[in-house]
Amino acid sequence: MCGIFGYTGFRRLGPIILEGLKRLEYRGYDSAGVAFISSGLQVMKDAGKIDEISRKFNFSGIDGKLAISHTRWATHGAVTQTNAHPHISCNGRIAVVHNGIIENYIDLKRELISLGHKFRSETDTEVIPHLIEEFYRKTGDPLKAIFMAVSKLDGSFAFLAIFEDHPDRIFAVRYKSPLVIGLGDGENFVASDVPAFLKYTKKVIFLDDMEVAVISRDSVEVFNSLTREKVDKEIYIVPWSVEDAERGGYPHFMMKEIMEQRFTITRVLGQDDRIREASQLIKDAQKVFLVAAGTSYHACLASSYWFAEIAGVNARAVLASEFPSISKLVDDKSLVIAVSQSGETADVLESVRMAKKRGSKILGIVNVVGSSLMRISDAFLTINAGPEICVLATKSYTSQLAILYLLVNDLVGRLENAKEEIKRAETLVAHMLESEALLKDIRRIAKDLSASEHIFLIGRGISYATSLEGALKIKEVSYIHAEGFAGGELKHGTLALIEEGTPCIAIVPEDETKDQTLGNAMEIKARGGYIIGLSNEEHVVFDELIRTPSETSLSPIVMIIPLQLLAYYLALERGCNVDQPRNLAKSVTVL
Ligand code: F6R
């Protein structure tokens, strides 16, 4: 949901800003802009892709002392040049870029208009520079003005502000939306996410809610905006390499990240102590909730079957956005296991805050070390998958499954066995991804299916979660309507949608669900459906077979691989933007 990036230091401003923006493009890509100070405050912004806008204004040629920039995923106000960030104060001497939503902006706008402020855009963000201007006029002190402005804002925000009068400082504020400062030597960075500056520094400070940082090229000071006191911040070293955030010869991050699963799955190993601490939390709890959104929710759903079957634990998977409606069930004997790649998803963080208020303990499972979820959890596990840049979650999904599998097995004293199974699953994934024949087959099937209006996926038991995740991948990247179903549910209504040639993917691992799923595939075929089987062997019901290994215990990890590939090739066949599907953003930091 929007990316913000700021820089102050010795490098040429234009290229570094452009690079930072490009690396955050996955967070939003409908408009972009930059504000910088070079003989006065200047703003360049427009609707469109970063490359187009950069060409139009020659971003690379920008020079000056410091700059703030923005790539937008619109929430309030259409995608237009006027609504693009940065937004400026009436006198044009203060500029702001913002990620999040100012919920009380209508009231604030009315108040500011009555004080004589003139608004240019339809955005919620524009109230921020006007508010700061108002308080700056009164106090003459930029930091005080920011503190006062922040105290008026409701909602979620991470914003950067610069003042023409103070051309050596970037002011950075965070409340419920992510913001991280990169510490350099004679230069400093601030961004919504680490990859924006990973090439230059791995030393970072994560801002906490209601903190304000004053960033100049040689110093970073952080204040609590409520007490206005200075805060000592911990410096984290990010464990990612620069190459992790590069495409590395692949045409798209999606393919790179799918391929990385040949070695990322076992990167969950090596956290035995933390796993033991986490299992103790589960053992101490009377109720366990697995809370997440999107793909991470599908990992939770799959693991709820493992919790039940392997450990006899009733762990309920709940969509984070629905959590408020069942939050009354949560109490001080509960454990919420919150799973999030980014650790910044607003629905997940809100659920966690709600659960904490009710006395529940929180176990966070994240990819991004230092993320908000990790920091507000009582205990955490990381999946260590490296930065996931493509908007679609792929490698984080298999790693989430792997860590949840270790956790469940630790509950019954099988951690060591589970580790071996994870290693084996990764080998099987690697074999699939290295099989040119398999890739060719899937590409051919994608070509055949590329004109389909609908694709249905069925799976039973734990493969139901795989069917949902496979459908999500197909939908979000190829824009084909795809739906996953529990195989047994079709006859309760959806069978009515099956016509001659309707494609249906049957997920058939070698487990106890096999015969019944095949039976459901028969029912579909009898009504004209075209059946693509994911299975380790041919079956009369299949019109096509995508051959998968006969893995049973970790079938969700193994079976999702061909579906990720199918989604990728469908998108290519249909000429879709693979890494940046329309209307989406990687981290959904608004409720
Ligand atoms: C799908 C996808 C989203 C995310 C969801 C949660 O490919 O990427 O559905 O899984 O927005 O994000 P995290 O895991 O960062 O909380």
Side-chain angles (χ1 to χ4, degrees):
M1 306 277 111
C2 303
I4 58 181
F5 178 71
Y7 175 78
T8 172
F10 55 84
R11 293 174 208 272
R12 273 198 46 225
L13 211 45
I16 200 107
I17 286 291
L18 185 55
E19 188 181 349
L21 271 182
K22 289 287 294 171
R23 288 190 189 276
L24 292 176
E25 199 171 16
Y26 70 89
R27 300 179 66 88
Y29 28 83
D30 55 42
S31 356
V34 54
F36 57 102
I37 300 182
S38 164
S39 59
L41 194 148
Q42 304 193 32
V43 172
M44 297 168 171
K45 62 179 188 176
D46 209 343
K49 291 273 182 191
I50 293 173
D51 280 334
E52 293 157 23
I53 302 165
S54 159
R55 265 196 303 277
K56 176 170 170 188
F57 294 107
N58 186 22
F59 277 5
S60 309
I62 293 175
D63 216 352
K65 292 181 176 224
L66 50 75
I68 56 174
S69 58
H70 188 269
T71 175
R72 182 168 187 240
W73 186 86
T75 55
H76 291 63
V79 179
T80 62
Q81 182 176 37
T82 322
N83 289 336
H85 299 217
H87 292 283
I88 52 172
S89 55
C90 288
N91 64 9
R93 295 167 72 88
I94 299 168
V96 167
V97 291
H98 164 228
N99 169 31
I101 290 180
I102 306 301
E103 281 163 9
N104 58 339
Y105 83 100
I106 294 177
D107 293 342
L108 290 173
K109 192 166 173 176
R110 201 176 300 123
E111 213 179 296
L112 286 158
I113 289 173
S114 74
L115 292 169
H117 287 263
K118 300 258 179 306
F119 280 75
R120 300 168 178 94
S121 76
E122 300 157 327
T123 64
D124 53 334
T125 301
E126 202 187 340
V127 297
I128 306 175
H130 290 285
L131 263 183
I132 298 175
E133 178 177 47
E134 189 60 30
F135 293 121
Y136 182 56
R137 206 181 281 148
K138 287 188 179 135
T139 61
D141 180 330
L143 185 56
K144 271 193 196 149
I146 301 246
F147 287 149
M148 291 164 85
V150 168
S151 73
K152 294 278 223 174
L153 301 174
D154 288 341
S156 64
F157 44 87
F159 71 81
L160 306 178
I162 53 174
F163 294 68
E164 188 176 290
D165 298 353
H166 301 274
D168 54 349
R169 279 177 263 178
I170 298 173
F171 296 85
V173 181
R174 180 219 147 107
Y175 182 62
K176 292 189 181 174
S177 290
L179 203 55
V180 55
I181 298 169
L183 303 172
D185 206 0
E187 60 181 344
N188 287 307
F189 306 77
V190 56
S192 304
D193 202 356
V194 173
F197 53 69
L198 188 60
K199 191 164 149 194
Y200 303 99
T201 183
K202 291 183 181 180
K203 270 167 66 178
V204 302
I205 290 175
F206 292 97
L207 287 187
D208 284 305
D209 283 348
M210 295 309 259
E211 285 182 345
V212 179
V214 184
I215 303 164
S216 63
R217 57 181 286 176
D218 296 309
S219 72
V220 174
E221 288 182 310
V222 180
F223 300 86
N224 178 314
S225 93
L226 299 173
T227 63
R228 301 195 181 179
E229 278 167 12
K230 220 167 140 183
V231 189
D232 278 337
K233 296 294 291 180
E234 191 176 340
I235 297 176
Y236 287 85
I237 306 295
V238 180
W240 295 343
S241 72
V242 185
E243 296 73 43
D244 283 341
E246 309 274 346
R247 268 211 307 272
Y250 288 98
H252 302 101
F253 277 109
M254 182 174 176
M255 193 47 152
K256 180 197 177 209
E257 289 161 6
I258 289 175
M259 284 294 170
E260 280 180 327
Q261 295 172 108
R262 290 170 297 159
F263 47 81
T264 47
I265 297 169
T266 49
R267 287 209 205 139
V268 300
L269 302 177
Q271 19 184 358
D272 291 10
D273 289 348
R274 284 211 288 262
I275 288 180
R276 300 236 154 80
E277 190 191 347
S279 339
Q280 196 54 51
L281 285 175
I282 296 172
K283 286 177 190 157
D284 292 345
Q286 284 176 5
K287 296 181 218 169
V288 179
F289 300 89
L290 292 150
V291 179
T295 291
S296 301
Y297 167 74
H298 296 151
C300 288
L301 184 65
S303 77
S304 70
Y305 288 86
W306 286 329
F307 271 105
E309 280 163 29
I310 300 171
V313 171
N314 179 10
R316 175 170 176 183
V318 187
L319 285 166
S321 54
E322 289 296 310
F323 186 78
S325 309
I326 60 116
S327 64
K328 278 210 174 108
L329 296 176
V330 178
D331 57 24
D332 59 0
K333 308 268 180 324
S334 305
L335 173 69
V336 165
I337 304 179
V339 182
S340 171
Q341 186 282 130
S342 61
E344 300 294 349
T345 299
D347 288 324
V348 177
L349 294 176
E350 202 52 33
S351 304
V352 164
R353 289 186 192 107
M354 213 172 257
K356 275 181 96 130
K357 267 197 200 134
R358 301 187 67 84
S360 170
K361 287 259 186 292
I362 311 294
L363 167 65
I365 298 185
V366 298
N367 189 29
V368 180
V369 173
S371 57
S372 302
L373 176 58
M374 181 182 132
R375 285 175 296 132
I376 60 174
S377 298
D378 297 291
F380 71 90
L381 295 167
T382 64
I383 59 169
N384 247 326
E388 193 174 60
I389 309 282
C390 176
V391 166
L392 283 89
T394 50
K395 63 176 177 172
S396 62
Y397 180 63
T398 46
S399 295
Q400 286 167 344
L401 289 167
I403 194 81
L404 285 160
Y405 189 71
L406 292 179
L407 184 57
V408 170
N409 279 280
D410 187 54
L411 290 170
V412 291
R414 281 191 79 255
L415 181 59
E416 292 309 316
N417 311 50
K419 284 183 190 169
E420 291 312 310
E421 289 170 272
I422 295 288
K423 288 182 197 160
R424 164 136 182 88
E426 188 182 77
T427 308
L428 294 173
V429 165
H431 282 157
M432 277 194 278
L433 290 172
E434 282 158 12
S435 161
E436 276 180 28
L438 182 74
L439 266 60
K440 219 168 124 196
D441 265 359
I442 297 176
R443 178 128 213 194
R444 179 183 48 76
I445 293 169
K447 204 174 166 113
D448 292 347
L449 297 189
S450 62
S452 309
E453 208 176 328
H454 310 283
I455 298 178
F456 295 100
L457 296 91
I458 58 166
R460 296 178 79 110
I462 203 162
S463 300
Y464 169 47
T466 310
S467 78
L468 295 180
E469 175 57 10
L472 180 60
K473 291 290 89 88
I474 292 172
K475 271 187 279 213
E476 59 185 339
V477 74
S478 75
Y479 314 147
I480 295 178
H481 169 239
E483 268 192 82
F485 287 96
E489 268 303 291
L490 279 182
K491 56 187 174 296
H492 298 290
T494 311
L495 215 46
L497 293 177
I498 306 298
E499 294 173 351
E500 197 57 41
T502 305
C504 177
I505 300 173
I507 302 160
V508 196
E510 272 301 309
D511 62 15
E512 66 292 343
T513 65
K514 181 175 178 177
D515 291 340
Q516 280 186 308
T517 308
L518 287 170
N520 298 137
M522 286 288 195
E523 291 158 7
I524 296 169
K525 198 175 170 84
R527 282 145 185 100
Y530 181 80
I531 310 293
I532 300 145
L534 289 195
S535 167
N536 69 331
E537 59 184 13
E538 293 281 2
H539 189 276
V540 58
V541 73
F542 298 150
D543 295 294
E544 279 282 0
L545 169 69
I546 298 179
R547 203 178 283 277
T548 49
S550 56
E551 165 63 42
T552 49
S553 49
L554 279 160
S555 67
I557 290 184
V558 172
M559 297 301 230
I560 197 60
I561 302 296
L563 296 174
Q564 293 173 345
L565 288 166
L566 181 67
Y568 175 76
Y569 289 129
L570 280 170
L572 288 192
E573 288 297 334
R574 291 165 62 89
C576 301
N577 185 334
V578 173
D579 284 335
Q580 295 165 354
R582 68 184 178 209
N583 304 340
L584 301 181
K586 180 83 183 152
S587 299
V588 186
T589 53
V590 290
L591 288 175

